[in-house]
Amino acid sequence: MNRSRTLPVAAVSMAAAAALLLTACGGGDSKDSGSDKIPGAGSGDTKKGTSPSPEAGGASEIDRPEMKFPSDVDLVFGKVNLSDPDQVAALNDAQNYARAIEYGIVKQDADDAAYKFYSEIGSPAQTYAKKQIKDHIDAGYTVTGERRYTDVKVQTVTEKKTVAVTFCTNDNKLFGKEVKTKKVLRTKPSIKDYSSWQISMTAAKSTKGLWRADLVKVEGESQQCMG
């Protein structure tokens, strides 16, 4: 997205995470950056401030943190047809994890409950989310506009325990906005607006139907996401 031009942030990931996710989802080489994408999904909208409809057993009964975005921020998630309930739940919460990062930025709270709820405690995914939020806060920026999540792919890596989720983000309508002045930092569309995400989701041990991000790899300036 356009904000990444003013706030470059290196993706937090581990060699093991990259190997796991690239093997599971067939990722290629690209520059590490702070962009988001979802490979393999079609178009479809999810309303701001709501979670994707949970379809796995127990998921609808989870007491989830509420995320209500301001009217000038729109996160549009692509849809993909899945038959496995665990994959559905893992994808829903991978989207919630991505949404929670933007929510923390909008709230300007590096300790917001949402990203902590959707990531494993002390995991690289949680570290990445906090850094993204904190970097925006330190620089005095929030976001405004629309981010699209597309090209979703989901694959079970470890039966019933780990699911790899990949997607693309298109930020050519999402911009950085100065918190103090409300000035929107508009930029021309470019390859910097496109990123690919690879997220390893793990089933929560104590909450049925909940999946949390454990490992994450975000690659910016993704040519494959421009297609």
Side-chain angles (χ1 to χ4, degrees), residues 45-55 59-60 62-69 75 77 79 88-89 91-97 99-100 114 117-118 210:
D45 296 349
T46 298
K47 293 182 179 179
K48 301 187 295 294
T50 63
S51 299
S53 299
E55 298 177 24
S60 61
I62 298 171
D63 185 15
R64 300 171 181 273
E66 188 174 38
M67 291 184 277
K68 288 187 176 181
F69 286 83
L75 306 181
F77 290 83
K79 293 183 179 180
V88 171
L91 172 59
N92 286 345
D93 286 337
Q95 292 177 345
N96 280 327
Y97 167 73
R99 181 185 287 109
F117 185 82
Y118 291 111
L210 175 65

Side-chain angles (χ1 to χ4, degrees), residues 19 43 47 67 109 123 160 194 216 225:
S43 61
K47 293 182 179 179
M67 291 184 277
D109 184 359
S123 67
K160 302 299 181 182
Y194 298 88
V216 60
C225 288

Side-chain angles (χ1 to χ4, degrees), residues 95-183:
Q95 292 177 345
N96 280 327
Y97 167 73
R99 181 185 287 109
I101 296 175
E102 301 308 303
Y103 187 64
I105 292 171
V106 168
K107 284 191 66 180
Q108 296 283 284
D109 184 359
D111 290 312
D112 183 67
Y115 81 83
K116 292 181 178 180
F117 185 82
Y118 291 111
S119 59
E120 291 289 337
I121 297 175
S123 67
Q126 189 165 102
T127 300
Y128 174 76
K130 183 169 185 175
K131 178 172 173 54
Q132 287 287 303
I133 298 168
K134 188 175 185 302
D135 283 353
H136 281 77
I137 294 171
D138 291 347
Y141 292 100
T142 182
V143 295
T144 185
E146 177 188 273
R147 165 177 280 184
R148 300 191 69 87
Y149 299 78
T150 62
D151 299 335
V152 183
K153 291 180 182 177
V154 182
Q155 181 172 330
T156 300
V157 179
T158 304
E159 190 66 25
K160 302 299 181 182
K161 292 184 179 181
T162 302
V163 172
V165 176
T166 68
F167 56 84
C168 288
T169 51
N170 178 347
D171 290 337
N172 59 27
K173 294 182 180 179
L174 188 67
F175 305 93
K177 182 171 73 172
E178 295 179 357
V179 173
K180 290 184 178 181
T181 67
K182 309 301 181 183
K183 178 182 178 181

